[in-house]
Amino acid sequence: MTQRTVLVVLFDDVQSLDVSGPAEVFAGAGHCLGDPGGGYLIRTASLDGRPVRTSSGLTLIPDSALADAPTPHTLLVPGGPGTRPADPELTGWLRENGPRAQRLVSVCTGALRLAEAGLLEGRRATTHWAYCERLAAMHPGVEVDPDPIYVRDGHVATSAGVTAGIDLALALVEEDLGREVALTVARHLVVFLRRPGNQAQFSVQLAAQTAQREPLREVQQWITEHPADDLCVDALAARAQLSPRHFARAFQADTGLTPGKYVERVRVEHARRLLEDTSDGVEEISRACGYGTPEAMRRAFVKVLGTAPAEYRRRFRPVPTAASATSHR
């Protein structure tokens, strides 16, 4: 089996989980294959080869200086506070050496470093939600998508903050070595095998504000747990023991969304998970999510996601490999 070298760039104030998360995924793939050194050869390097101090205070000792590191298959640039100040020397090294790697990967604000080196020009990319506007403003030639947890554009892959680097690394392992290996690694790390790259950086519950008033918080939770129920304003207001008019005003004031918009997002999110993770038919899923008919769900998907449910499933539900199909018999 071909061994792929993964070179992780280190610098002071790097986010430690941006380094260790993907590294654990790639190392876990080797253990899964029965060879701790198989699958991937992980190397770390800093500009001068000296230890770096992470943003959390940990000290990381690199394998070498960047100048002495061999050209890798996968070049990974993590994020952290250390990506914010300009670093012409590191930017220059990336500009010269980045194009030589077969695959360029960034985690979190590592995308800022890739963009500074001109490696994201003309490409679609993402980064931590708090820095998407900065990335777009500083590098107008980059098509910044603030929503997904990771984005693939040719041989370049960028991810959102922190744990999204693990999701991206699992996707790369699945691409390189197959779903069974990625699944085994995910089980070992006790994480989801696959949060699709297009999945929003925030769930509806995180994206919306949590209501300050207890009856409204309870209604938010009820909506999430019962998407198939009657979730019209009158029914939700009755659950909160408020008049419909008072409830609608209070809900929007506390969450930043109208009740109807909140319900719409919860139902779409629930339907997406079912399309990704189950083999249930569209008609069955539409009923389970409160749409009533496949056509109603299709309209909601086109409005929110710009694609129909069947096309969404085709694009984002993994196709089982022969090995995974056998293992589930």
Side-chain angles (χ1 to χ4, degrees):
M1 178 177 294
T2 301
Q3 189 178 57
R4 298 170 175 85
T5 302
V6 178
L7 178 62
V8 183
V9 177
L10 300 183
F11 46 86
D12 283 324
D13 265 347
V14 68
Q15 164 71 250
S16 58
L17 193 55
D18 288 3
V19 176
S20 62
E24 289 292 344
V25 171
F26 293 126
H31 288 287
C32 177
L33 294 169
D35 178 5
Y40 300 94
L41 177 64
I42 304 165
R43 289 289 180 264
T44 58
S46 64
L47 269 173
D48 53 12
R50 295 179 181 177
V52 302
R53 189 171 177 84
T54 71
S55 58
S56 59
L58 299 176
T59 296
L60 302 180
I61 302 175
D63 294 307
S64 69
L66 283 171
D68 300 326
T71 300
H73 173 277
T74 299
L75 178 61
L76 189 150
V77 182
T83 61
R84 261 77 98 193
D87 190 335
E89 190 175 356
L90 180 54
T91 298
W93 185 91
L94 288 171
R95 183 180 295 113
E96 180 180 354
N97 294 276
R100 299 174 183 172
Q102 294 183 47
R103 189 160 61 196
L104 282 173
V105 177
S106 69
V107 180
C108 194
T109 53
L112 296 173
R113 284 280 183 255
L114 292 185
E116 288 164 6
L119 300 173
L120 298 183
E121 193 68 19
R123 294 187 180 276
R124 180 170 165 259
T126 194
T127 186
H128 189 288
W129 62 268
Y131 292 91
C132 283
E133 287 188 7
R134 175 174 176 173
L135 177 60
M138 294 179 65
H139 304 283
V142 181
E143 182 187 346
V144 180
D145 191 337
D147 291 328
I149 57 173
Y150 62 82
V151 167
R152 303 287 303 276
D153 188 331
H155 73 291
V156 179
T158 54
S159 76
V162 197
T163 57
I166 295 175
D167 296 292
L168 176 53
L170 283 168
L172 298 177
V173 168
E174 183 173 356
E175 175 184 297
D176 295 339
L177 304 175
R179 182 174 173 80
E180 281 303 303
V181 174
L183 177 59
T184 301
V185 174
R187 285 171 176 161
H188 178 72
L189 296 177
V190 198
V191 296
F192 291 108
L193 166 62
R194 182 178 175 277
R195 288 195 297 168
N198 71 298
Q199 183 171 316
Q201 294 192 28
F202 292 121
S203 65
V204 176
Q205 291 72 35
L206 289 177
Q209 302 168 36
T210 300
Q212 297 180 4
R213 284 162 273 200
E214 184 175 352
L216 300 182
R217 288 199 302 271
E218 292 177 355
V219 168
Q220 282 183 289
Q221 187 65 28
W222 173 265
I223 293 170
T224 302
E225 295 174 353
H226 302 83
D229 282 24
D230 180 3
L231 301 179
C232 69
V233 169
D234 286 353
L236 296 176
R239 178 162 292 278
Q241 297 184 336
L242 297 171
S243 72
R245 187 175 180 181
H246 184 192
F247 168 77
R249 285 202 307 265
F251 190 93
Q252 183 167 7
D254 273 24
T255 68
L257 295 172
T258 65
K261 181 67 71 174
Y262 190 86
V263 168
E264 177 183 66
R265 293 187 180 183
V266 166
R267 283 176 167 163
V268 168
E269 185 173 282
H270 188 58
R272 288 170 66 171
R273 287 198 298 269
L274 293 178
L275 288 168
E276 293 162 9
D277 299 334
T278 76
S279 58
D280 296 346
V282 171
E283 185 170 354
E284 184 178 355
I285 291 174
S286 67
R287 289 196 302 269
C289 296
Y291 291 111
T293 67
E295 176 58 25
M297 188 169 87
R298 190 194 70 80
R299 289 197 300 268
F301 263 58
V302 170
K303 176 183 177 182
V304 175
L305 302 176
T307 188
E311 175 63 14
Y312 181 89
R313 167 170 274 173
R314 187 189 70 77
R315 291 173 58 194
F316 299 115
R317 185 172 180 233
V319 177
T321 62
S324 64
T326 300
S327 66
H328 287 89
R329 288 175 184 169

